[in-house]
Amino acid sequence: MDAATTRSGGVARPMTLALVAAAALTAFLALVTFGVTATAAPRGLPLVLAVDGAGLQRASLERVATQLRSRPGEEIAWRTAGSAAEARGLLDDRQAYGALVLANAPAGSAPSVSVLVNGGMNPPGAQFAALVLPQVAQQVAQQVAQQLVGAAAEAAGRPAPPVRFETVNPASVPGRTVPVAAGALLWIAALVASAVAFRLLQNAGLIHRRAVGARVLLALLAGLTGTAVVAGFVTLWDSGLDVGWPVLGFLALVGTAFALLASAVLAWLGLRGLALLGPLYLLAPAVAGQPAEFLDPPYRVLLWSWAPFRFSADGLRSLLFFHGAPGVGAPVAVFAGIAVVALGLLVAAPSRARRADPPTLAPAAPRRDITPAQAS
């Protein structure tokens, strides 16, 4: 085999590996980012259908509600409520994205049809409810008019009952961005702080116990620093949001858990761990930015079920837009668990301190023998 063939074979392998790596990374990014948004569509989005009030009209309103629930379709999953108050309770508990309320009226008055949109929920789901529910309400209002006033009255031109629109748990456009953006920013802060600290502590040559203590302290400081930065931007984006101690505490927990996790991965894998942690940032807007009901089942199982940004967005959304913060307990437990597991991995990680090279001695000068004649 000549030298040219040897050089060709030596170049072919790294080129092949580079092309395979590029194709794999491109496929991964297409899968977890654009693939999620390209296939996003409502599938069983929970909406509430309520009949409110008692009286002669209730039976007719319930027949209209039954007809609506029996319509075929995969986009909406109707939930039943026995009153307007119960429907509002489901919205406040984050059980649905909106509600359609058919309210009975005193004798001689037309019933009312109300649309309630849960503004604090995941934006795509709330926007879908705000778009679809008024259309459905107009159709329902026509059915109510036909069943309650009769064909003769309809022919006489009696109008259908008006549709009322209301947004509950409202959120501004900047405020809707905060839950997803906060988790992503805290993740970046944790990665940068952990990577810089890993290199500096490695060069410092600390013993394992002191290195672990320094990394834990760094995680706490990184969590607090990231919290301060994120809270400042949240206030800048929407000064009407209540960024109180519960919100700050939750942000600090998320940032500290992220920093501990990043430090633990780097302690085991070195800076190569950034190749594992970095791409996870892309899951924030793609997965946490979509309601679970908008994701294809494979994405829901393989990505949404464990993505940490989903839990941070849910917890922060509960604290900012829903009184009583329903559902915040699960995110708190998740991040507390991440922090504990990461701390255990950090303690058990092997020491990666660089050992100082032993001092090198200058070569001794060559010995010259002195003859007796030179000595004299």
Side-chain angles (χ1 to χ4, degrees), residues 97-150:
Y97 286 82
L100 182 62
V101 180
L102 311 180
N104 199 357
S109 301
S112 64
V113 180
S114 300
V115 170
L116 307 178
V117 173
N118 206 355
M121 295 290 281
N122 203 305
Q127 291 168 4
F128 176 81
L131 177 65
V132 171
L133 278 176
Q135 300 176 2
V136 176
Q138 292 291 346
Q139 300 172 7
V140 169
Q142 294 295 333
Q143 289 181 290
V144 169
Q146 292 174 8
Q147 293 202 20
L148 295 184
V149 305

Short mmCIF file of all heavy atoms in Angstrom, two decimals, residues 97-150:
data_model
loop_
_atom_site.label_atom_id
_atom_site.label_comp_id
_atom_site.label_asym_id
_atom_site.label_seq_id
_atom_site.Cartn_x
_atom_site.Cartn_y
_atom_site.Cartn_z
N TYR A 97 -59.21 24.88 29.77
CA TYR A 97 -58.72 26.09 29.11
C TYR A 97 -59.83 27.11 28.89
O TYR A 97 -59.54 28.26 28.55
CB TYR A 97 -58.08 25.73 27.77
CG TYR A 97 -56.73 25.08 27.92
CD1 TYR A 97 -56.61 23.72 28.19
CD2 TYR A 97 -55.57 25.83 27.81
CE1 TYR A 97 -55.37 23.12 28.34
CE2 TYR A 97 -54.32 25.24 27.95
CZ TYR A 97 -54.23 23.89 28.22
OH TYR A 97 -52.99 23.31 28.38
N GLY A 98 -61.06 26.70 29.05
CA GLY A 98 -62.17 27.62 28.86
C GLY A 98 -63.47 26.95 29.23
O GLY A 98 -63.51 25.75 29.53
N ALA A 99 -64.55 27.73 29.21
CA ALA A 99 -65.86 27.20 29.59
C ALA A 99 -66.94 27.87 28.77
O ALA A 99 -66.82 29.03 28.37
CB ALA A 99 -66.12 27.40 31.08
N LEU A 100 -68.01 27.11 28.53
CA LEU A 100 -69.22 27.61 27.88
C LEU A 100 -70.36 27.41 28.87
O LEU A 100 -70.65 26.28 29.27
CB LEU A 100 -69.49 26.84 26.58
CG LEU A 100 -70.70 27.29 25.75
CD1 LEU A 100 -70.53 28.72 25.29
CD2 LEU A 100 -70.89 26.36 24.55
N VAL A 101 -70.96 28.52 29.30
CA VAL A 101 -71.98 28.47 30.35
C VAL A 101 -73.32 28.86 29.75
O VAL A 101 -73.47 29.96 29.19
CB VAL A 101 -71.62 29.40 31.52
CG1 VAL A 101 -72.69 29.35 32.60
CG2 VAL A 101 -70.26 29.02 32.10
N LEU A 102 -74.31 27.96 29.87
CA LEU A 102 -75.69 28.24 29.47
C LEU A 102 -76.46 28.53 30.74
O LEU A 102 -76.65 27.64 31.58
CB LEU A 102 -76.28 27.04 28.73
CG LEU A 102 -75.43 26.44 27.59
CD1 LEU A 102 -76.15 25.26 26.95
CD2 LEU A 102 -75.11 27.49 26.56
N ALA A 103 -76.89 29.77 30.89
CA ALA A 103 -77.51 30.19 32.14
C ALA A 103 -79.01 30.37 31.96
O ALA A 103 -79.46 31.05 31.03
CB ALA A 103 -76.88 31.49 32.64
N ASN A 104 -79.77 29.78 32.87
CA ASN A 104 -81.22 29.94 32.89
C ASN A 104 -81.55 31.40 33.25
O ASN A 104 -80.74 32.12 33.81
CB ASN A 104 -81.82 28.98 33.92
CG ASN A 104 -83.29 28.74 33.68
OD1 ASN A 104 -83.88 29.33 32.77
ND2 ASN A 104 -83.90 27.89 34.49
N ALA A 105 -82.76 31.81 32.90
CA ALA A 105 -83.19 33.18 33.16
C ALA A 105 -84.60 33.17 33.72
O ALA A 105 -85.33 32.18 33.59
CB ALA A 105 -83.13 34.01 31.88
N PRO A 106 -85.01 34.25 34.39
CA PRO A 106 -86.39 34.31 34.90
C PRO A 106 -87.40 34.16 33.76
O PRO A 106 -87.09 34.36 32.59
CB PRO A 106 -86.45 35.70 35.54
CG PRO A 106 -85.04 36.07 35.82
CD PRO A 106 -84.23 35.44 34.74
N ALA A 107 -88.61 33.82 34.14
CA ALA A 107 -89.68 33.63 33.15
C ALA A 107 -89.86 34.89 32.33
O ALA A 107 -89.88 36.00 32.85
CB ALA A 107 -90.98 33.25 33.85
N GLY A 108 -89.98 34.69 31.04
CA GLY A 108 -90.17 35.80 30.13
C GLY A 108 -88.88 36.39 29.60
O GLY A 108 -88.92 37.26 28.73
N SER A 109 -87.73 35.92 30.11
CA SER A 109 -86.44 36.42 29.65
C SER A 109 -85.69 35.30 28.93
O SER A 109 -85.89 34.11 29.21
CB SER A 109 -85.59 36.92 30.82
OG SER A 109 -86.26 37.95 31.51
N ALA A 110 -84.83 35.70 28.00
CA ALA A 110 -84.05 34.71 27.27
C ALA A 110 -82.85 34.28 28.10
O ALA A 110 -82.28 35.08 28.84
CB ALA A 110 -83.59 35.30 25.93
N PRO A 111 -82.46 33.02 28.01
CA PRO A 111 -81.27 32.56 28.72
C PRO A 111 -80.02 33.22 28.12
O PRO A 111 -80.05 33.74 27.01
CB PRO A 111 -81.28 31.06 28.50
CG PRO A 111 -82.04 30.86 27.24
CD PRO A 111 -83.09 31.94 27.21
N SER A 112 -78.94 33.19 28.87
CA SER A 112 -77.69 33.79 28.41
C SER A 112 -76.68 32.70 28.09
O SER A 112 -76.70 31.61 28.66
CB SER A 112 -77.13 34.73 29.48
OG SER A 112 -76.79 34.01 30.65
N VAL A 113 -75.80 33.00 27.18
CA VAL A 113 -74.70 32.11 26.79
C VAL A 113 -73.41 32.87 27.04
O VAL A 113 -73.19 33.94 26.47
CB VAL A 113 -74.81 31.69 25.31
CG1 VAL A 113 -73.65 30.77 24.94
CG2 VAL A 113 -76.15 31.02 25.05
N SER A 114 -72.55 32.32 27.89
CA SER A 114 -71.31 33.00 28.27
C SER A 114 -70.10 32.15 27.90
O SER A 114 -70.12 30.92 28.04
CB SER A 114 -71.28 33.29 29.78
OG SER A 114 -72.37 34.11 30.16
N VAL A 115 -69.05 32.82 27.45
CA VAL A 115 -67.78 32.18 27.13
C VAL A 115 -66.74 32.67 28.13
O VAL A 115 -66.56 33.88 28.31
CB VAL A 115 -67.33 32.52 25.69
CG1 VAL A 115 -65.89 32.07 25.46
CG2 VAL A 115 -68.26 31.88 24.68
N LEU A 116 -66.08 31.73 28.80
CA LEU A 116 -65.01 32.04 29.74
C LEU A 116 -63.72 31.45 29.20
O LEU A 116 -63.65 30.25 28.92
CB LEU A 116 -65.31 31.46 31.13
CG LEU A 116 -66.66 31.81 31.75
CD1 LEU A 116 -66.80 31.12 33.10
CD2 LEU A 116 -66.82 33.32 31.90
N VAL A 117 -62.71 32.28 29.04
CA VAL A 117 -61.40 31.82 28.57
C VAL A 117 -60.41 31.93 29.72
O VAL A 117 -60.32 32.97 30.38
CB VAL A 117 -60.92 32.65 27.36
CG1 VAL A 117 -59.50 32.28 26.98
CG2 VAL A 117 -61.85 32.45 26.18
N ASN A 118 -59.66 30.86 29.96
CA ASN A 118 -58.69 30.81 31.05
C ASN A 118 -57.37 31.39 30.56
O ASN A 118 -56.50 30.69 30.02
CB ASN A 118 -58.51 29.36 31.51
CG ASN A 118 -58.08 29.27 32.95
OD1 ASN A 118 -57.82 30.27 33.60
ND2 ASN A 118 -57.99 28.05 33.46
N GLY A 119 -57.20 32.70 30.73
CA GLY A 119 -56.07 33.39 30.13
C GLY A 119 -54.71 33.01 30.69
O GLY A 119 -53.70 33.19 30.01
N GLY A 120 -54.64 32.50 31.91
CA GLY A 120 -53.35 32.18 32.51
C GLY A 120 -52.79 30.83 32.11
O GLY A 120 -51.66 30.51 32.49
N MET A 121 -53.53 30.05 31.33
CA MET A 121 -53.05 28.74 30.93
C MET A 121 -52.00 28.87 29.83
O MET A 121 -51.67 29.96 29.36
CB MET A 121 -54.22 27.89 30.44
CG MET A 121 -55.23 27.57 31.53
SD MET A 121 -54.60 26.41 32.76
CE MET A 121 -54.80 24.86 31.87
N ASN A 122 -51.47 27.72 29.40
CA ASN A 122 -50.47 27.70 28.33
C ASN A 122 -51.02 28.47 27.13
O ASN A 122 -52.12 28.19 26.67
CB ASN A 122 -50.17 26.26 27.95
CG ASN A 122 -48.82 26.13 27.29
OD1 ASN A 122 -48.55 26.81 26.30
ND2 ASN A 122 -47.99 25.24 27.80
N PRO A 123 -50.28 29.46 26.60
CA PRO A 123 -50.83 30.36 25.58
C PRO A 123 -51.48 29.68 24.37
O PRO A 123 -52.58 30.09 23.99
CB PRO A 123 -49.62 31.20 25.17
CG PRO A 123 -48.77 31.23 26.38
CD PRO A 123 -48.94 29.88 27.02
N PRO A 124 -50.88 28.67 23.73
CA PRO A 124 -51.58 28.08 22.58
C PRO A 124 -52.94 27.51 22.93
O PRO A 124 -53.90 27.63 22.15
CB PRO A 124 -50.61 26.99 22.10
CG PRO A 124 -49.28 27.44 22.56
CD PRO A 124 -49.52 28.10 23.87
N GLY A 125 -53.07 26.89 24.10
CA GLY A 125 -54.35 26.34 24.50
C GLY A 125 -55.37 27.42 24.80
O GLY A 125 -56.54 27.33 24.40
N ALA A 126 -54.94 28.49 25.48
CA ALA A 126 -55.86 29.60 25.77
C ALA A 126 -56.29 30.30 24.49
O ALA A 126 -57.46 30.70 24.35
CB ALA A 126 -55.18 30.59 26.72
N GLN A 127 -55.37 30.45 23.54
CA GLN A 127 -55.72 31.09 22.27
C GLN A 127 -56.70 30.23 21.47
O GLN A 127 -57.61 30.76 20.82
CB GLN A 127 -54.45 31.34 21.46
CG GLN A 127 -53.55 32.41 22.08
CD GLN A 127 -52.18 32.45 21.45
OE1 GLN A 127 -51.89 31.72 20.50
NE2 GLN A 127 -51.31 33.30 21.98
N PHE A 128 -56.52 28.92 21.51
CA PHE A 128 -57.46 28.04 20.82
C PHE A 128 -58.85 28.16 21.44
O PHE A 128 -59.86 28.23 20.73
CB PHE A 128 -56.96 26.59 20.90
CG PHE A 128 -57.91 25.59 20.30
CD1 PHE A 128 -57.96 25.38 18.94
CD2 PHE A 128 -58.77 24.86 21.11
CE1 PHE A 128 -58.83 24.46 18.38
CE2 PHE A 128 -59.65 23.94 20.57
CZ PHE A 128 -59.68 23.74 19.20
N ALA A 129 -58.92 28.19 22.77
CA ALA A 129 -60.21 28.33 23.43
C ALA A 129 -60.86 29.67 23.09
O ALA A 129 -62.07 29.75 22.85
CB ALA A 129 -60.04 28.21 24.95
N ALA A 130 -60.04 30.75 23.03
CA ALA A 130 -60.59 32.07 22.70
C ALA A 130 -61.08 32.13 21.26
O ALA A 130 -61.98 32.91 20.94
CB ALA A 130 -59.52 33.13 22.92
N LEU A 131 -60.54 31.30 20.39
CA LEU A 131 -60.96 31.30 18.99
C LEU A 131 -62.17 30.41 18.76
O LEU A 131 -63.11 30.78 18.03
CB LEU A 131 -59.79 30.82 18.11
CG LEU A 131 -60.07 30.69 16.61
CD1 LEU A 131 -60.38 32.04 16.00
CD2 LEU A 131 -58.89 30.03 15.91
N VAL A 132 -62.20 29.25 19.39
CA VAL A 132 -63.22 28.25 19.09
C VAL A 132 -64.49 28.47 19.90
O VAL A 132 -65.61 28.35 19.38
CB VAL A 132 -62.66 26.84 19.32
CG1 VAL A 132 -63.77 25.79 19.23
CG2 VAL A 132 -61.57 26.54 18.29
N LEU A 133 -64.35 28.79 21.17
CA LEU A 133 -65.53 28.88 22.03
C LEU A 133 -66.55 29.92 21.55
O LEU A 133 -67.76 29.64 21.58
CB LEU A 133 -65.11 29.18 23.47
CG LEU A 133 -64.65 27.96 24.29
CD1 LEU A 133 -64.18 28.38 25.67
CD2 LEU A 133 -65.77 26.93 24.40
N PRO A 134 -66.16 31.13 21.11
CA PRO A 134 -67.19 32.06 20.60
C PRO A 134 -67.95 31.51 19.39
O PRO A 134 -69.16 31.74 19.27
CB PRO A 134 -66.37 33.30 20.24
CG PRO A 134 -65.17 33.25 21.13
CD PRO A 134 -64.85 31.79 21.22
N GLN A 135 -67.25 30.78 18.52
CA GLN A 135 -67.93 30.20 17.37
C GLN A 135 -68.95 29.15 17.82
O GLN A 135 -70.09 29.11 17.33
CB GLN A 135 -66.91 29.58 16.43
CG GLN A 135 -65.90 30.57 15.87
CD GLN A 135 -64.83 29.90 15.02
OE1 GLN A 135 -64.87 28.69 14.81
NE2 GLN A 135 -63.87 30.68 14.55
N VAL A 136 -68.53 28.30 18.75
CA VAL A 136 -69.46 27.29 19.27
C VAL A 136 -70.61 27.96 20.01
O VAL A 136 -71.77 27.53 19.91
CB VAL A 136 -68.71 26.31 20.21
CG1 VAL A 136 -69.67 25.32 20.85
CG2 VAL A 136 -67.62 25.57 19.44
N ALA A 137 -70.32 29.04 20.74
CA ALA A 137 -71.36 29.73 21.49
C ALA A 137 -72.43 30.31 20.57
O ALA A 137 -73.63 30.29 20.90
CB ALA A 137 -70.74 30.84 22.34
N GLN A 138 -72.03 30.85 19.43
CA GLN A 138 -73.01 31.39 18.49
C GLN A 138 -73.93 30.28 17.98
O GLN A 138 -75.16 30.47 17.87
CB GLN A 138 -72.28 32.06 17.32
CG GLN A 138 -71.54 33.34 17.68
CD GLN A 138 -72.47 34.48 18.05
OE1 GLN A 138 -73.67 34.44 17.79
NE2 GLN A 138 -71.91 35.52 18.67
N GLN A 139 -73.39 29.13 17.68
CA GLN A 139 -74.21 28.01 17.24
C GLN A 139 -75.15 27.55 18.34
O GLN A 139 -76.33 27.25 18.09
CB GLN A 139 -73.31 26.86 16.78
CG GLN A 139 -72.38 27.22 15.62
CD GLN A 139 -71.38 26.12 15.32
OE1 GLN A 139 -71.45 25.05 15.88
NE2 GLN A 139 -70.46 26.40 14.42
N VAL A 140 -74.63 27.49 19.56
CA VAL A 140 -75.46 27.06 20.69
C VAL A 140 -76.57 28.08 20.94
O VAL A 140 -77.71 27.71 21.25
CB VAL A 140 -74.58 26.87 21.94
CG1 VAL A 140 -75.45 26.69 23.19
CG2 VAL A 140 -73.66 25.68 21.77
N ALA A 141 -76.26 29.35 20.81
CA ALA A 141 -77.28 30.38 21.01
C ALA A 141 -78.43 30.21 20.01
O ALA A 141 -79.61 30.39 20.37
CB ALA A 141 -76.65 31.76 20.87
N GLN A 142 -78.11 29.87 18.79
CA GLN A 142 -79.16 29.63 17.80
C GLN A 142 -80.00 28.42 18.19
O GLN A 142 -81.24 28.42 18.07
CB GLN A 142 -78.53 29.41 16.42
CG GLN A 142 -77.83 30.64 15.84
CD GLN A 142 -78.79 31.77 15.54
OE1 GLN A 142 -79.98 31.55 15.29
NE2 GLN A 142 -78.29 33.00 15.57
N GLN A 143 -79.35 27.37 18.68
CA GLN A 143 -80.10 26.19 19.12
C GLN A 143 -80.99 26.53 20.30
O GLN A 143 -82.13 26.05 20.40
CB GLN A 143 -79.13 25.06 19.50
CG GLN A 143 -78.42 24.43 18.31
CD GLN A 143 -77.50 23.31 18.77
OE1 GLN A 143 -76.47 23.53 19.39
NE2 GLN A 143 -77.89 22.09 18.47
N VAL A 144 -80.48 27.32 21.23
CA VAL A 144 -81.28 27.71 22.38
C VAL A 144 -82.50 28.49 21.93
O VAL A 144 -83.63 28.28 22.42
CB VAL A 144 -80.43 28.54 23.36
CG1 VAL A 144 -81.30 29.18 24.43
CG2 VAL A 144 -79.35 27.68 24.01
N ALA A 145 -82.31 29.39 20.99
CA ALA A 145 -83.44 30.17 20.50
C ALA A 145 -84.48 29.29 19.85
O ALA A 145 -85.70 29.45 20.07
CB ALA A 145 -82.95 31.24 19.52
N GLN A 146 -84.05 28.32 19.08
CA GLN A 146 -84.99 27.43 18.39
C GLN A 146 -85.77 26.58 19.38
O GLN A 146 -86.98 26.35 19.23
CB GLN A 146 -84.24 26.55 17.41
CG GLN A 146 -83.66 27.31 16.22
CD GLN A 146 -82.79 26.42 15.35
OE1 GLN A 146 -82.74 25.21 15.56
NE2 GLN A 146 -82.11 27.02 14.39
N GLN A 147 -85.12 26.09 20.42
CA GLN A 147 -85.79 25.18 21.34
C GLN A 147 -86.67 25.90 22.36
O GLN A 147 -87.67 25.36 22.82
CB GLN A 147 -84.75 24.32 22.07
CG GLN A 147 -84.02 23.37 21.14
CD GLN A 147 -83.42 22.20 21.90
OE1 GLN A 147 -83.82 21.90 23.01
NE2 GLN A 147 -82.46 21.54 21.27
N LEU A 148 -86.30 27.15 22.70
CA LEU A 148 -87.02 27.83 23.78
C LEU A 148 -88.12 28.75 23.28
O LEU A 148 -89.15 28.89 23.93
CB LEU A 148 -86.04 28.63 24.64
CG LEU A 148 -85.00 27.80 25.41
CD1 LEU A 148 -84.17 28.72 26.28
CD2 LEU A 148 -85.66 26.73 26.26
N VAL A 149 -87.92 29.39 22.14
CA VAL A 149 -88.94 30.34 21.69
C VAL A 149 -89.85 29.74 20.63
O VAL A 149 -90.91 30.30 20.35
CB VAL A 149 -88.28 31.62 21.15
CG1 VAL A 149 -87.34 32.21 22.17
CG2 VAL A 149 -87.52 31.36 19.85
N GLY A 150 -89.41 28.60 20.04
CA GLY A 150 -90.28 27.93 19.09
C GLY A 150 -90.15 28.50 17.70
O GLY A 150 -89.66 29.61 17.48
#
